[in-house]
Amino acid sequence: MARMDVNRSGEMEVFVRAVDLGGFSAAARALRMTPSAVSKLIARLEARLGARLVNRSTRKLQLTPEGAAFYDRSLRILADLDEAERSAASGAAPRGRLRVNTNVPFGTHYLLPLLPGFLDRHPEVTVEVTSTDTVVDLLEDRADVAIRVGPLKSSQLVARKLGESRMMLVAAPSYLERRGAPRTPEDLARHNLLGFSFARQSNGWPFQDGNGHVSAVVPTGNAQVSDGESMRLLVLTGLGISRLSQFHIGPDVKAGRLVPVLEAYNPGDTESIHAVYVGGGHLPARVRAFLDYLVENVRLD
């Protein structure tokens, strides 16, 4: 059958409805079809795809791994189709659910405080935020926008830069009173250096002397964490020294809760912060409006 002769969006809608409602009969009632028509349509879909999507051996409909993947992608495609039609009919007014993935520090200190203003400006948008310092696959996670901190890997993602932030070595005053302040990077060997459990930490902390020579110190303290906000809270307790982005700890430094360490040896490296999204095709109005709002309102450092 030629692809132009197949109503693929219609097949997706029937399949998604059957999954959501738990069976062919329920989907048939909702779509004003017969159960046999729903069953035949999904059988044709499976034959065209060359993959079984559902197991029919039990009374409750069960998805195969291929069916689960097709269901997730179908949800995304149908949502984009619906958004495209609504946008064309209503002058591209932002509406619908916006899924955002962010790292924990940016989400805590920037994104969440900005959300009320965004939602007040766009009352027909609802936002679902997931906070994690683990880099996710936007398609698998069904995220519309993700916040990336640090270098971007080459990918099909489109990025909008939100800014850059300087890296700093910091400790709590209570720690420095107890252990003393290091005067050179070599002094760090006698201190508790707190690092992260994810891979990008493996290169160590860079230091630059007055001659431009750069060296690195690998943190080997008695605790590791998986996200920046947990690290910030740990350093505030006075447990040890860590290296964090200024956008994250700037208010703590200004208030004296954290103290910069070895600033004379700081090489001045920065982390870039981007909002990324899947490129190609129609960009939903809700995504475009959110990206524009971030660029307009995010002020780092």
Side-chain angles (χ1 to χ4, degrees), residues 156-174:
Q156 296 179 335
L157 301 179
V158 180
R160 291 188 67 174
K161 190 172 183 178
L162 301 179
E164 290 188 355
S165 187
R166 183 171 172 268
M167 301 300 295
M168 300 176 66
L169 211 66
V170 291
S174 61

Side-chain angles (χ1 to χ4, degrees), residues 101 132-138 147-149 153 157:
N101 180 279
T132 174
D133 276 17
T134 301
V135 176
V136 301
D137 184 308
L138 266 68
I147 304 300
R148 294 278 194 266
V149 177
K153 295 181 179 180
L157 301 179

Side-chain angles (χ1 to χ4, degrees), residues 5 47 63 65 70 73 105 137 172 185 224-225 236 277-278:
D5 295 333
L63 289 174
F70 186 75
R73 297 296 177 91
D137 184 308
Q224 289 186 330
V225 296
L236 284 169
Y277 58 96
V278 178

Side-chain angles (χ1 to χ4, degrees), residues 1-163:
M1 181 180 294
R3 178 165 287 189
M4 290 296 294
D5 295 333
V6 178
N7 182 0
R8 289 184 289 167
S9 64
E11 289 180 340
M12 287 181 180
E13 185 173 0
V14 172
F15 174 70
V16 166
R17 190 66 66 90
V19 174
D20 289 343
L21 297 178
F24 294 166
S25 297
R29 288 192 297 270
L31 296 169
R32 297 183 180 181
M33 300 171 64
T34 64
S36 62
V38 171
S39 179
K40 290 177 181 178
L41 185 148
I42 292 179
R44 288 198 304 270
L45 174 61
E46 291 176 321
R48 182 165 59 83
L49 297 177
R52 180 176 289 277
L53 302 178
V54 295
N55 288 320
R56 301 168 176 80
S57 58
T58 63
R59 295 182 63 183
K60 185 177 180 180
L61 186 148
Q62 292 182 334
L63 289 174
T64 65
E66 294 79 9
F70 186 75
Y71 172 79
D72 288 340
R73 297 296 177 91
S74 295
L75 280 178
R76 183 73 175 270
I77 291 169
L78 291 173
D80 286 345
L81 285 172
D82 185 57
E83 178 66 24
E85 291 179 353
R86 288 184 177 184
S87 296
S90 61
R95 64 183 65 197
R97 176 174 294 184
L98 177 74
R99 294 181 174 89
V100 182
N101 180 279
T102 177
N103 76 330
V104 180
F106 187 89
T108 300
H109 297 279
Y110 288 85
L111 178 59
L112 295 180
L114 288 175
L115 277 186
F118 173 75
L119 293 172
D120 184 60
R121 182 182 295 184
H122 303 291
E124 295 187 71
V125 176
T126 60
V127 179
E128 178 183 314
V129 178
T130 301
S131 296
T132 174
D133 276 17
T134 301
V135 176
V136 301
D137 184 308
L138 266 68
L139 289 176
E140 291 184 4
D141 199 61
R142 302 197 346 248
D144 296 299
V145 178
I147 304 300
R148 294 278 194 266
V149 177
L152 293 176
K153 295 181 179 180
S154 178
S155 70
Q156 296 179 335
L157 301 179
V158 180
R160 291 188 67 174
K161 190 172 183 178
L162 301 179

Side-chain angles (χ1 to χ4, degrees), residues 103-106 108-109 131-133 194-198 223-240 242-244 248-249 252 258:
N103 76 330
V104 180
F106 187 89
T108 300
H109 297 279
S131 296
T132 174
D133 276 17
L194 307 176
F196 292 95
S197 55
F198 43 78
Q224 289 186 330
V225 296
S226 63
D227 70 85
E229 183 63 9
S230 295
M231 179 61 76
R232 169 182 168 268
L233 295 174
L234 204 58
V235 177
L236 284 169
T237 68
L239 181 63
S242 191
R243 195 166 192 263
L244 294 163
H248 185 191
I249 55 169
D252 296 314
L258 293 177

Side-chain angles (χ1 to χ4, degrees), residues 40 84 87 107 130 159 183 200 207 210 232 262 270 277 285 298 301:
K40 290 177 181 178
S87 296
T130 301
R183 297 183 180 277
R200 66 175 181 169
F207 295 96
R232 169 182 168 268
L262 295 177
T270 61
Y277 58 96
V298 170
D301 299 336

